[in-house]
Amino acid sequence: MKVGELSSPGAQAYLDNCAACHRSDGRGYSGVFPPLAGNPAVVDERAESIVRIALFGGQTPLTPSSPAQFSMPGFADRLDDREMAQLLTYVRTSWGNQARPVSRGEVARVRRASAGR
């Protein structure tokens, strides 16, 4: 099975949880939902930031030039460590992204370190 294909582990979880905002091609929607294809946070050698964002979500800042605030839900309650690792590995290896896979252990460490936040 080739990484990045819809038959790859994590592809269905991506389609079910992420594609509505980030699109099935990972391009996002300019000015609203960021692209995942080529995104530096996605392909960073250290996957901790993208794991944290996927688990716990985030919000865009409110600024005078951007008064609308967009948020991304976290998926910590919806996806277990294995499912999250597969989803993030799919994202980090699709659409030209060439980052290393995310392990189940990495997801578990971030989840544990953020417990009670």
Side-chain angles (χ1 to χ4, degrees):
M1 172 178 345
K2 186 176 176 186
V3 174
E5 292 182 353
L6 293 179
S7 59
S8 297
Q12 191 61 52
Y14 177 82
L15 292 174
D16 292 346
N17 296 287
C18 311
C21 297
H22 296 287
R23 297 175 40 180
S24 60
D25 61 6
R27 289 182 162 176
Y29 292 94
S30 181
V32 181
F33 301 114
L36 301 178
N39 186 313
V42 170
V43 298
D44 192 338
E45 175 58 31
R46 291 184 46 140
E48 184 176 320
S49 291
I50 196 68
V51 171
R52 186 174 313 286
I53 291 167
L55 284 171
F56 305 111
Q59 293 182 324
T60 60
L62 288 172
T63 66
S65 64
S66 181
Q69 188 171 37
F70 299 101
S71 63
M72 180 182 129
F75 297 99
D77 294 336
R78 180 180 252 186
L79 300 172
D80 66 24
D81 295 343
R82 179 188 58 81
E83 293 166 322
M84 183 65 69
Q86 288 177 341
L87 183 151
L88 292 173
T89 295
Y90 175 79
V91 169
R92 286 169 53 89
T93 59
S94 295
W95 320 298
N97 292 340
Q98 296 181 2
R100 66 169 180 73
V102 174
S103 74
R104 184 179 189 175
E106 284 178 286
V107 175
R109 279 190 296 281
V110 172
R111 193 186 294 265
R112 275 193 311 272
S114 300
R117 34 177 309 237

